[in-house]
Amino acid sequence: MRRFSAIFLHIVVVAAAVMAFSACGADKHLKKAEKYLALGEYFDAATEFKKAYQTTPPKERDKRGQRALKMAKCYAKINQTQAALAGYRNAIRYRQTELDDHLAYARLLLKKGEYKAALTEFQTVKDSLTVRGEWFLSGNSETGDRKLSDKAILTQNGLVSAQNAPKWKEQGSRYTVKRQEIFNSRRADYAPMLFGDDFDRLYFTSTRNDANGDELSGITGTKPGDIFFSEKDDKGKWRRPEVVQGGLNTDFDEGACSFSVDGREMYLTVCQTDPSSPRLAQIMKSNRSDASWSKPAEVKISSDTLSSYAHPAISPDGQWLYFCSDMPGGKGGLDIWRVRLTTGGLGGVENLGDPINTPGDEMFPAFRGNGDFYFSSNGHAGMGGLDIFIAKPARSENTYILEHPGYPLNSQGDDFGVTFENPYNRGYFCSNRGDGRGWDHIYSFDNPEIVQAIRGWVYEMDGYELPAAEVHLVGDDGTNQKLSVRSDGSFTYVTTPGVSYVLLATCKGYLNHKQELHVEQAEESEEYTLQFPLAPIFAPVLIDNIFYDFDKATLRPESAQALDELVKLLNENPNVTIELSAHCDYKGPAAYNKRLSQRRAESVVNYLIEHGIAADRLTPVGYGKEKPKRINKKVASKYKFLKEGDILSEEFIQNLSEKEQEECNQLNRRTEFIVLRTTYGMFDEKGQLKELPKPKKQEKESLDEDEIEYFIE
């Protein structure tokens, strides 16, 4: 009996010691976990909360439930959905959850694709909100002037999602998606962004082992993200990705990049480490020099230093920087905002409001070439986690329609970061669908739409591309847009069948050029190619394909096309006067050549007058051999024996080979024009402007709430 009592006492003492040691260990892990959580290092915090949970005695049910709940919230932050669900189930079992926790649990069930369980949980939340009187905000119940509370909006959209997601998956869509193993690693690869005039380079973010730095991120448990890129080879196949060299990547997190319209600037998200404060994302800008990117500098969006700014996207017209932020004044969670880009810096910040933003998270803004706005949200009704949505302007003025593109572009997981091979509805996006660790991977997508688009080029007449140009487009359907030009002088625009368009290309220092186009309905995709050669104001312009009878001033019939283009140019620029000049080579008597060139210049002027151009806008001059041609960069690239700046004088030509001499003589035999004035007909006899400029109309940029429409395809 005594022996039994002694053994029992020993067991009790040992058990008490173990429990005391466990409690001490749990507190140690809990202290570390809270420190990591305060810094936003969710992976490290989840690891320590898990250890604290495991070392908490089972009898301490309240503490185990509280630690399970914190563990669940951390796992949810890093997309480890299965672990987060387990944490919430334990917290619920230990009765340590509030209504907000049940809503979060229901949203995670949706993300896992457990739609029946999610439906039950959302209904429970709705019933509780209704009983508590928290379903509606305060308002006039008699007139029905009441709005749903934030929790009610998320719950209601969750119910719609759980009910309809299985049907949307079964219905499918015209989209096809395919995982792109060439870009993906064994870690997270996300936020793809196509780049280049031919969309032959893809930038994306990756936490693969090739990323910079030796330490693992306390946020994700992987390496901090770096920006990588892949290029197409000569056969159009993507090469293995490489990390972007230079000063762009660091030991911190860089990613989710976007580019200016001309491709000279990269906007990116950077998350730097501070051991004493939480990590806050910020937007930075890097400049391109040849093929390399500079060390990024911060884009100061506001004076608020306690909010995050991430996921930059530039609007197609280059006038707005879109981004997501948790700054005050939003709808809740992460919202999408925009700030105007001006030559003097950033303008005011605007929240996109309804119908884009919700009490949930909206992020990863993007634009398709046709102007449609894309973003990802877990606050709207969808299939699970983040879903991709399309915001399209409606036909009636100042309305907006949200479309859900359905499955398989969207799934129960997170789907986001879309980029387009403009103007077509194909490109790349990322998703963590089917990945138990929650890591993202890059997928391609294609939707075989019939796309009718304009692809235009703006360039200097007898010269190179003009990326500084702008194209103004007006359609008889009310379209009025300013299109930006890419670095190769090109632009694209998706047209609407049955609409007639007028396009006007402008550039400082050049005359305008106009083109007209009527778009008919087509049965397959079609691309209209338009050329916009702009004549410089301060330099002679060669008029190509002007032909005269031998040793005469008579214009040959094949000259008509080039001369008609000149007539069109002068009609499009009615305030311009020009000198029309003809030139000869050095062969023959100088006086004879000068008389012949004068008569030829007059022949061209007479043609222009006969076709409606006022005579006092035209000055014919024959220079003979007095003004030999000066070689520009483009001509020098065609004739290898010439260089930019060469003057084709008689002395210069006679030092060349016989073949080269004849080529130079042909270059000297030319017809040109140069702009003399740009104010013809603008002033009256008193020197006053005949027509005063009209004030610009104030554009309405906000949307009325009752003008917003929703539908899901």
Side-chain angles (χ1 to χ4, degrees):
M1 185 72 175
R2 287 181 150 211
R3 181 180 176 86
F4 177 77
S5 298
I7 294 173
F8 178 76
L9 181 61
H10 176 73
I11 292 173
V12 169
V13 170
V14 171
V18 169
M19 290 178 66
F21 178 79
S22 298
C24 180
D27 290 340
K28 179 181 177 182
H29 291 303
L30 187 63
K31 187 176 181 180
K32 285 184 178 180
E34 295 289 0
K35 178 183 177 181
Y36 289 134
L37 182 60
L39 294 174
E41 296 180 349
Y42 300 111
F43 178 85
D44 288 348
T47 301
E48 294 300 326
F49 279 128
K50 182 178 180 180
K51 291 177 181 177
Y53 174 82
Q54 291 173 335
T55 53
T56 299
K59 289 185 177 181
E60 298 183 20
R61 297 177 59 83
D62 289 355
K63 289 183 178 180
R64 281 178 69 86
Q66 293 163 8
R67 290 160 192 179
L69 182 61
K70 290 190 174 183
M71 180 172 58
K73 293 179 178 180
C74 289
Y75 278 129
K77 286 284 189 180
I78 57 177
N79 291 324
Q80 293 194 20
T81 305
Q82 189 62 49
L85 285 171
Y88 274 113
R89 288 181 179 121
N90 282 329
I92 292 170
R93 180 162 61 94
Y94 288 119
R95 301 180 182 277
Q96 294 300 308
T97 52
E98 303 291 340
L99 189 60
D100 285 348
D101 302 320
H102 284 270
L103 178 56
Y105 176 55
R107 285 160 63 82
L108 279 175
L109 288 170
L110 199 65
K111 188 173 180 178
K112 191 67 171 55
E114 297 181 15
Y115 295 125
K116 289 184 178 180
L119 185 62
T120 300
E121 196 69 25
F122 278 122
Q123 188 60 53
T124 301
V125 173
K126 180 178 181 179
D127 294 342
S128 297
L129 288 172
T130 303
V131 169
R132 294 182 182 189
E134 298 177 13
W135 186 254
F136 290 105
L137 296 173
S138 58
N140 191 332
S141 58
E142 294 181 0
T143 62
D145 184 23
R146 292 190 299 176
K147 293 183 178 180
L148 295 178
S149 66
D150 287 352
K151 292 177 186 176
I153 290 172
L154 294 178
T155 302
Q156 185 63 41
N157 287 342
L159 285 167
V160 174
S161 301
Q163 290 167 346
N164 292 295
K167 291 189 295 184
W168 295 336
K169 185 171 183 179
E170 184 178 352
Q171 290 171 355
S173 69
R174 289 172 57 86
Y175 284 91
T176 57
V177 304
K178 183 179 180 181
R179 181 162 157 163
Q180 296 296 304
E181 300 302 340
I182 186 67
F183 305 129
N184 293 316
S185 67
R186 295 184 177 181
R187 296 294 185 268
D189 304 283
Y190 60 97
M193 182 58 61
L194 284 164
F195 179 77
D197 301 323
D198 296 318
F199 309 103
D200 54 0
R201 179 176 281 213
L202 186 80
Y203 287 83
F204 62 94
T205 310
S206 180
T207 61
R208 64 187 63 193
N209 291 334
D210 295 334
N212 289 330
D214 298 321
E215 297 183 2
L216 299 182
S217 168
I219 300 176
T220 62
T222 64
K223 275 195 166 186
D226 273 352
I227 297 178
F228 287 71
F229 75 96
S230 174
E231 288 184 299
K232 286 184 177 180
D233 60 21
D234 295 338
K235 296 181 180 179
K237 301 292 185 182
W238 290 105
R239 294 190 173 101
R240 299 298 303 180
E242 303 174 33
V243 67
V244 176
Q245 300 295 331
L248 188 68
N249 289 313
T250 67
D251 290 347
F252 303 126
D253 278 294
E254 293 89 20
C257 65
S258 179
F259 301 97
S260 60
V261 176
D262 61 9
R264 299 179 185 275
E265 297 173 331
M266 174 194 290
Y267 292 81
L268 65 153
T269 307
V270 177
C271 189
Q272 297 182 341
T273 299
D274 186 337
S276 61
S277 62
R279 288 188 177 189
L280 296 175
Q282 56 187 329
I283 293 174
M284 291 192 170
K285 183 174 71 173
S286 171
N287 296 314
R288 180 167 63 94
S289 176
D290 294 327
S292 62
W293 294 96
S294 68
K295 182 179 178 181
E298 183 181 1
V299 178
K300 194 72 174 177
I301 293 176
S302 81
S303 58
D304 178 3
T305 59
L306 300 178
S307 300
S308 287
Y309 305 87
H311 309 163
I314 305 298
S315 62
D317 60 10
Q319 295 189 24
W320 295 93
L321 169 64
Y322 287 70
F323 61 95
C324 74
S325 176
D326 58 356
M327 61 194 298
K331 303 277 288 184
L334 290 170
D335 273 16
I336 296 178
W337 304 69
R338 70 175 186 173
V339 61
R340 187 179 288 278
L341 300 172
T342 70
T343 55
L346 298 181
V349 177
E350 300 177 8
N351 185 282
L352 293 196
D354 293 328
I356 305 295
N357 292 317
T358 71
D361 292 326
E362 282 72 43
M363 43 180 113
F364 293 97
F367 289 90
R368 186 180 164 192
N370 65 354
D372 287 349
F373 179 63
Y374 285 67
F375 66 98
S376 288
S377 171
N378 62 14
H380 291 284
M383 295 193 67
L386 288 170
D387 270 24
I388 296 170
F389 289 85
I390 310 169
K392 293 185 176 183
R395 291 191 176 183
S396 53
E397 188 178 359
N398 295 323
T399 61
Y400 227 35
I401 299 174
L402 287 191
E403 293 184 9
H404 184 276
Y407 180 85
L409 189 63
N410 287 312
S411 67
Q412 74 269 16
D414 291 323
D415 306 290
F416 60 97
V418 63
T419 182
F420 293 90
E421 187 180 327
N422 285 322
Y424 302 101
N425 198 356
R426 61 175 180 251
Y428 300 90
F429 74 108
C430 52
S431 176
N432 61 9
R433 62 185 69 186
D435 192 295
R437 295 160 295 187
W439 288 338
D440 306 304
H441 304 287
I442 296 174
Y443 291 76
S444 64
F445 72 90
D446 186 19
N447 186 337
E449 297 177 350
I450 296 176
V451 177
Q452 294 174 261
I454 296 170
R455 185 169 177 84
W457 276 268
V458 187
Y459 55 93
E460 181 180 3
M461 192 177 287
D462 195 32
Y464 284 97
E465 61 274 355
L466 291 172
E470 292 180 345
V471 177
H472 301 265
L473 178 144
V474 177
D476 60 7
D477 63 341
T479 301
N480 191 337
Q481 292 194 26
K482 182 172 69 174
L483 309 178
S484 297
V485 175
R486 291 190 286 265
S487 59
D488 66 343
S490 71
F491 66 91
T492 56
Y493 179 78
V494 177
T495 62
T496 301
V499 176
S500 295
Y501 296 95
V502 176
L503 297 95
L504 182 70
T506 65
C507 189
K508 187 176 181 180
Y510 295 85
L511 300 182
N512 298 335
H513 186 86
K514 184 172 69 174
Q515 292 275 28
E516 298 182 10
L517 176 69
H518 178 74
V519 179
E520 299 285 357
Q521 181 69 54
E523 295 183 359
E524 58 185 28
S525 293
E526 185 175 7
E527 192 169 84
Y528 302 94
T529 301
L530 299 180
Q531 305 282 346
F532 294 84
L534 302 191
I537 294 176
F538 304 109
V541 178
L542 176 68
I543 309 174
D544 248 337
N545 299 318
I546 300 294
F547 305 100
Y548 307 90
D549 287 342
F550 177 70
D551 205 24
K552 294 181 180 179
T554 307
L555 285 166
R556 298 180 64 177
E558 52 265 41
S559 304
Q561 183 175 353
L563 291 174
D564 289 343
E565 287 294 323
L566 182 55
V567 170
K568 180 183 176 185
L569 177 68
L570 292 169
N571 283 328
E572 291 170 355
N573 297 271
N575 303 121
V576 165
T577 66
I578 65 170
E579 175 190 279
L580 199 294
S581 60
H583 304 261
C584 298
D585 57 33
Y586 63 83
K587 296 178 181 179
Y592 176 82
N593 281 343
K594 189 165 185 177
R595 288 195 302 272
L596 177 61
S597 61
Q598 178 66 34
R599 288 188 289 119
R600 287 181 169 179
E602 290 171 354
S603 294
V604 174
V605 166
N606 289 335
Y607 184 97
L608 299 177
I609 293 172
E610 291 170 2
H611 287 76
I613 305 301
D616 59 349
R617 296 179 61 192
L618 308 169
T619 303
V621 180
Y623 285 103
K625 67 172 185 177
E626 293 176 2
K627 289 193 174 183
K629 185 175 180 65
R630 178 185 290 272
I631 299 302
N632 62 25
K633 185 177 180 181
K634 188 172 183 181
V635 175
S637 68
K638 183 177 179 182
Y639 298 92
K640 301 305 180 185
F641 64 94
L642 298 174
K643 64 180 185 297
E644 185 179 5
D646 283 345
I647 298 175
L648 303 185
S649 63
E650 181 176 353
E651 180 182 3
F652 178 89
I653 294 173
Q654 288 181 346
N655 289 320
L656 302 175
S657 68
E658 184 176 344
K659 180 183 177 183
E660 292 168 348
Q661 287 185 26
E662 179 53 32
E663 289 175 330
C664 287
N665 284 328
Q666 288 178 0
L667 291 172
N668 270 333
R669 296 192 292 268
R670 68 199 190 277
T671 303
E672 295 177 333
F673 74 86
I674 188 169
V675 175
L676 298 178
R677 291 171 54 204
T678 58
T679 57
Y680 173 83
M682 292 178 63
F683 300 94
D684 60 21
E685 295 176 354
K686 297 180 180 180
Q688 301 295 318
L689 276 173
K690 291 181 179 179
E691 186 176 342
L692 295 175
K694 297 178 181 179
K696 292 183 178 179
K697 293 182 179 180
Q698 190 72 25
E699 293 183 2
K700 182 181 178 183
E701 295 180 346
S702 61
L703 300 176
D704 296 334
E705 191 169 353
D706 58 354
E707 294 177 326
I708 295 164
E709 302 176 30
Y710 292 80
F711 72 88
I712 297 179
E713 287 186 332

